[in-house]
Amino acid sequence: MYSSQTSEVRKREVVSHFLAEITQEAMEIDRQNTPSTGEGKQESKTIVVLLMGPPGSGKSTFCDEVIRISARPWARICQDIINNGKSGTKIQCLSSAATALKEGKSVFIDRCNINKEQRADFLKLGGPQTEKHAIVLDIPAKVCISRSVKRTEHEGKLQGGKAAAVVNQMLSKKELPKLSEGFNRITFCQDERDVKEAIGVYGSFGPLDSLPSGCFGQKMLDTKTQQGIMRFLKKVDPSGNAGSGPTVVEKSITNEIPVKRLGKGDKLDIASTSGDVDSCNIYTLAFPSISTADFQFNLERASDIIVEKVEEFVSRIGKSKIRLLLVDLSPESKILSMVKTKAVQKNVGSNKFFTFVGDITRLRSQKGLQCNVIANTTNWRLKPGGGGVNAAIFKAAGPELEIATKERAETLSPGKAVVVPLPSSSPLYTREGVTHVIHVLGPNMNPQRPDCLKGDYGKGCKILREAYSSLFEGFLSIAQGVGSEHNIERPLESGGVQEVIPTNDDLKTKRGAVYESDKNKKYKGSGGATKAWGSWAQALYNIAMHPDKHSNVVLEAQVHLLVLARADGLDSIADVRREHIPLLKTMHAVGLKWAEKLINENGSLLFRLGYHSVPSMRQLHLHVISQDFESSHLKNKKHWNSFTTPFFLDSVDVMKELEDEGKVTLKNDSKFLEMELRCHRCRSAHPNIPRLKSHISSCQAPFPAALLQNGRLVSSEVTANFCN
């Protein structure tokens, strides 16, 4: 054992020493090849491309195909044949790769590179001018195994039954690459179509060409679900931290497909002094400058406001994986230059804000930049026509955008924005991966257009600030997942309660609405204290207070729905007093009506109606939840305990306590949410959610006696008696 460890240490020392030598040589070569600014000569840059994938994923085929069609000089470094046609060592691969780089060739590292440790030494090859790329052949295991088992002339002799075992073993240790390892660009390929596209990109990649940095093609996110009711709203936290930061609709992340190279003038400029240019799975808004083209707003004033509102937004979102991209079609754009300069001076944005030259309707297909949402500087009629960005976006999106826009709003006031989810049939969706367009209307300083402010920049600056606030608020609401296109809202005739109608979908909220800036407000909370509600937490409030702006709203899971109070100032059950008893009775009756309807459709269902002691979302809302708890979004202890411990206040008990005491005693004790997982029927304990779910799916024990009293557990008989 001692000699084995000593040998391994010695091997690492040799590799480190070797890398130090070749890195020094590579840096010298880089200095020699750096173009002279006086001559303006452009030299080719070498690239190290690491292929990643198990045997049978197609690494060697990928290299051979690119080398066959490429004008760029490439060298394939394969450990299976590095030793005069026989299997060799990692050091031999490093040496051959270093030699090829010295000769001006780019290199493919044809090894499995299955984890970070295997990749680390190859990322040290070359100097600062040498780019490091990764091609991840994330092909299904059964395909890799089938290929490996069937082949007979493999270079490394890995074939037959042995190959299947090796593939399975490697995949169990797979560690996907990240830009933070030192890569400039990572391309993920999940099927043959992705592979062919990547071959096309690198095959047409000439000696003087460059490719945009970042992650492209990754389809799945490593995410955790946010705490509270947002778990039932199909949201994920892009930062991976439960309960903090904005959330993202699972289906809104569209894959980046790089099919073109950045051309001259297409550099992505970081409007700050630090941070990575790109990273994986960043939810992005691309927006033009508002009112500076057709509406002739002063560029100096406009650039100040852009930087001001971006700084405010970036400060608000913290470390969340979302970003802003200011886009202009002209390489000589004055507004881009001014904004970039001012943003750098104020150190705004880090890796959250960028400026870019390009066509906002073709950022992915032409530039390889994925933008999930784009902004349109529209007219008050929300119609196609005119010139510039408005005409271009309506044309690129097809008639689907005009139809979808009409469903959201007929007109728009200056300073306001309207979020429009794009139908999947829109060319802008299918070609560019844009899921939403946000129409925004700024102030008009053009006397040739309606409602000119005639030089009143006091009013104009106020409207422009409102326009950017509305735009960013709308984008944040999309990123946080306040939206779905399958929603139906039907106001209750009483006017005091918002019915939230069930459909066959899981619990969702609408994707689009008209947004006005509503940040940094304080609202009543428990015991008269103030509480700052985050933007995502105000989704229910917006629905309840502005039902006319939320046509197509539903908050429903299979037998879990909400009833909202249309009463301003009632943020939670803590704000309710004796005078609100009629309202709560109305809400209870609405909940019973829907429970009865669902029970008639499925006689096995039983319901509880109640309130969370401390809700995660603003606006008083009553939960009507069936006791089967069959939901794929029920994933952690706190969520389970929020519905099955004293933290959940039964509606009948709340009304009784209000009648007797005039207010509700809150169970605001975190110990309830941290309690062990127990079955809500037999009260048996379970170590985790999967085990609990397995148990409750078959548990036939009677419910606790307390639940069977006073109508806390709702059946068809209870609903009939109450409603009569």
Side-chain angles (χ1 to χ4, degrees):
M1 178 63 71
Y2 174 78
S3 60
S4 174
Q5 292 177 340
T6 303
S7 175
E8 183 64 28
V9 171
R10 177 57 181 160
K11 187 184 297 183
R12 290 180 181 176
E13 289 177 349
V14 171
V15 170
S16 298
H17 179 71
F18 171 75
L19 285 170
E21 290 183 346
I22 63 174
T23 299
Q24 187 63 35
E25 294 178 6
M27 293 177 66
E28 181 60 33
I29 293 172
D30 277 344
R31 283 193 291 270
Q32 295 173 3
N33 288 337
T34 300
S36 168
T37 55
E39 298 176 359
K41 184 179 178 181
Q42 186 178 6
E43 300 288 346
S44 62
K45 291 184 178 180
T46 54
I47 300 174
V48 175
V49 180
L50 276 69
L51 278 296
M52 176 186 163
S57 57
K59 299 184 296 297
S60 299
T61 301
F62 185 97
C63 298
D64 292 342
E65 285 296 309
V66 172
I67 292 172
R68 181 177 63 83
I69 64 176
S70 178
R72 173 183 284 266
W74 290 94
R76 173 184 167 231
I77 309 299
C78 177
Q79 191 164 328
D80 289 334
I81 57 172
I82 197 71
N83 187 20
N84 294 322
K86 297 180 181 180
S87 179
T89 65
K90 183 178 182 179
I91 290 181
Q92 287 177 308
C93 292
L94 289 166
S95 177
S96 295
T99 300
L101 291 171
K102 291 177 186 178
E103 295 171 354
K105 297 178 181 179
S106 294
V107 297
F108 284 118
I109 306 299
D110 184 0
R111 299 173 78 247
C112 293
N113 296 309
I114 209 71
N115 56 40
K116 182 177 180 180
E117 183 179 356
Q118 291 185 15
R119 299 186 289 262
D121 291 332
F122 291 96
L123 288 170
K124 298 174 184 177
L125 287 168
Q129 298 298 317
T130 302
E131 290 193 1
K132 312 301 192 310
H133 294 193
I135 304 292
V136 184
L137 300 175
D138 200 11
I139 307 301
K142 62 181 181 180
V143 176
C144 298
I145 291 173
S146 177
R147 291 174 179 173
S148 300
V149 170
K150 291 179 181 178
R151 60 192 180 188
T152 57
E153 300 293 332
H154 182 245
E155 294 170 333
K157 308 303 181 185
L158 185 60
Q159 53 206 35
K162 178 182 177 182
V166 172
V167 171
N168 282 325
Q169 182 182 19
M170 284 193 175
L171 288 176
S172 68
K173 300 178 181 179
K174 180 177 70 173
E175 185 179 358
L176 294 178
K178 299 179 181 179
L179 295 177
S180 58
E181 293 179 38
F183 289 106
N184 301 94
R185 178 185 176 94
I186 303 173
T187 302
F188 293 87
C189 301
Q190 277 86 15
D191 52 37
E192 285 304 308
R193 179 180 177 181
D194 293 345
V195 174
K196 288 180 180 178
E197 288 176 348
I199 289 174
V201 169
Y202 280 87
S204 60
F205 186 32
L208 301 181
D209 292 331
S210 61
L211 288 172
S213 300
C215 286
F216 301 91
Q218 190 173 23
K219 291 182 171 62
M220 299 301 293
L221 300 177
D222 293 327
T223 57
K224 297 180 180 179
T225 310
Q226 185 167 349
Q227 292 180 358
I229 190 174
M230 297 302 282
R231 297 179 186 280
F232 267 20
L233 302 182
K234 278 191 172 179
K235 309 300 180 287
V236 291
D237 177 358
S239 67
N241 298 319
S244 64
T247 55
V248 179
V249 179
E250 288 175 340
K251 295 182 180 179
S252 292
I253 297 291
T254 308
N255 304 324
E256 299 190 0
I257 304 177
V259 294
K260 294 287 183 181
R261 299 183 295 274
L262 286 174
K264 183 177 180 181
D266 291 337
K267 182 180 179 183
L268 180 66
D269 292 319
I270 306 177
S272 64
T273 58
S274 63
D276 296 329
V277 174
D278 283 277
S279 63
C280 297
N281 303 314
I282 300 183
Y283 210 71
T284 302
L285 166 69
F287 66 100
S289 58
I290 300 174
S291 288
T292 57
D294 292 346
F295 295 97
Q296 299 180 4
F297 200 93
N298 177 271
L299 296 184
E300 188 69 39
R301 296 173 187 258
S303 59
D304 286 338
I305 291 173
I306 293 173
V307 174
E308 171 194 329
K309 302 310 290 184
V310 166
E311 182 178 29
E312 181 181 284
F313 180 79
V314 168
S315 147
R316 180 179 175 188
I317 62 176
K319 296 181 180 180
S320 303
K321 290 188 178 180
I322 54 181
R323 67 180 174 187
L324 304 176
L325 194 70
L326 177 63
V327 179
D328 198 296
L329 190 61
S330 171
E332 288 77 37
S333 169
K334 292 183 180 179
I335 190 70
L336 282 193
S337 177
M338 295 169 74
V339 168
K340 180 186 175 185
T341 300
K342 292 177 180 180
V344 170
Q345 289 173 349
K346 297 187 71 173
N347 194 25
V348 173
S350 184
N351 60 343
K352 301 294 186 184
F353 176 51
F354 306 90
T355 59
F356 188 75
V357 176
D359 183 346
I360 198 170
T361 68
R362 301 187 67 85
L363 292 175
R364 186 173 85 173
S365 60
Q366 290 188 348
K367 309 299 180 183
L369 290 173
Q370 174 63 55
C371 294
N372 311 85
V373 183
I374 62 173
N376 176 35
T377 50
T378 188
N379 49 59
W380 71 273
R381 297 177 301 149
L382 293 170
K383 295 285 187 181
V389 172
N390 184 64
I393 289 179
F394 270 104
K395 180 179 179 181
E400 290 87 348
L401 176 58
E402 187 173 2
I403 294 171
T405 300
K406 287 181 180 179
E407 294 176 355
R408 300 292 166 176
E410 294 291 338
T411 60
L412 195 63
S413 302
K416 303 300 183 286
V418 58
V419 174
V420 179
L422 274 180
S424 58
S425 57
S426 168
L428 201 57
Y429 186 109
T430 56
R431 187 187 68 238
E432 303 298 325
V434 175
T435 63
H436 295 74
V437 171
I438 303 179
H439 298 300
V440 60
L441 182 60
N444 176 36
M445 295 296 179
N446 184 351
Q448 304 301 317
R449 298 187 66 100
D451 302 319
C452 177
L453 294 179
K454 300 178 181 180
D456 184 354
Y457 272 96
K459 185 175 182 180
C461 289
K462 179 182 178 182
I463 293 175
L464 189 59
R465 287 187 175 90
E466 290 177 354
Y468 278 108
S469 293
S470 299
L471 170 61
F472 296 157
E473 190 76 19
F475 170 59
L476 190 58
S477 73
I478 301 169
Q480 292 173 334
V482 186
S484 170
E485 72 274 29
H486 302 295
N487 303 327
I488 303 172
E489 173 200 337
R490 300 174 187 171
L492 186 67
E493 292 181 359
S494 69
V497 175
Q498 175 66 44
E499 291 188 59
V500 188
I501 311 300
T503 69
N504 292 328
D505 299 322
D506 285 341
L507 182 60
K508 297 179 180 178
T509 53
K510 71 191 295 295
R511 289 176 65 187
V514 178
Y515 285 87
E516 301 180 15
S517 179
D518 188 28
K519 67 182 186 64
N520 294 333
K521 291 185 178 180
K522 301 286 183 180
Y523 302 102
K524 288 182 180 181
S526 174
T530 60
K531 177 177 180 179
W533 294 90
S535 175
W536 71 268
Q538 299 203 53
L540 300 183
Y541 173 81
N542 292 333
I543 294 170
M545 294 297 101
H546 305 287
D548 56 313
K549 296 180 180 179
H550 295 262
S551 60
N552 298 330
V553 175
V554 68
L555 295 166
E556 195 269 337
Q558 176 78 24
V559 294
H560 178 200
L561 57 138
L562 306 179
V563 181
L564 311 184
R566 285 185 185 166
D568 203 359
L570 294 183
D571 294 347
S572 69
I573 199 67
D575 301 316
V576 174
R577 295 295 182 266
R578 184 177 281 112
E579 62 267 25
H580 298 120
I581 291 175
L583 173 64
L584 266 63
K585 285 187 175 181
T586 302
M587 295 174 69
H588 189 92
V590 171
L592 286 175
K593 181 182 71 173
W594 284 103
E596 181 180 27
K597 178 179 182 294
L598 292 165
I599 289 172
N600 288 337
E601 295 173 357
N602 182 351
S604 66
L605 294 177
L606 296 171
F607 286 88
R608 282 183 75 184
L609 279 64
Y611 303 87
H612 282 150
S613 292
V614 182
S616 56
M617 297 188 74
R618 181 190 178 201
Q619 194 59 24
L620 179 66
H621 54 277
L622 172 70
H623 292 268
V624 182
I625 185 166
S626 66
Q627 297 304 287
D628 54 277
F629 292 105
E630 292 181 3
S631 172
S632 60
H633 306 290
L634 178 60
K635 295 181 179 179
N636 72 37
K637 177 189 291 186
K638 289 185 178 180
H639 198 202
W640 172 260
N641 286 336
S642 71
F643 287 102
T644 60
T645 69
F647 188 84
F648 188 78
L649 307 174
D650 287 283
S651 177
V652 291
D653 294 336
V654 168
M655 292 186 290
K656 180 67 165 59
E657 189 171 9
L658 280 175
E659 291 176 344
D660 295 342
E661 305 295 336
K663 64 178 182 178
V664 181
T665 302
L666 302 180
K667 307 296 192 297
N668 185 17
D669 194 328
S670 60
K671 71 178 183 182
F672 291 123
L673 298 181
E674 297 298 335
M675 288 173 63
E676 60 186 343
L677 293 168
R678 287 189 174 274
C679 174
H680 60 306
R681 296 174 72 107
C682 68
R683 306 306 298 167
S684 59
H686 300 273
N688 52 50
I689 288 290
R691 292 279 293 275
L692 175 64
K693 284 188 174 182
S694 176
H695 168 80
I696 63 176
S697 66
S698 58
C699 181
Q700 298 298 317
F703 283 90
L707 277 185
L708 299 175
Q709 300 171 1
N710 301 328
R712 296 185 183 96
L713 196 63
V714 178
S715 65
S716 57
E717 292 182 0
V718 173
T719 59
N721 292 336
F722 190 94
C723 293
N724 289 332

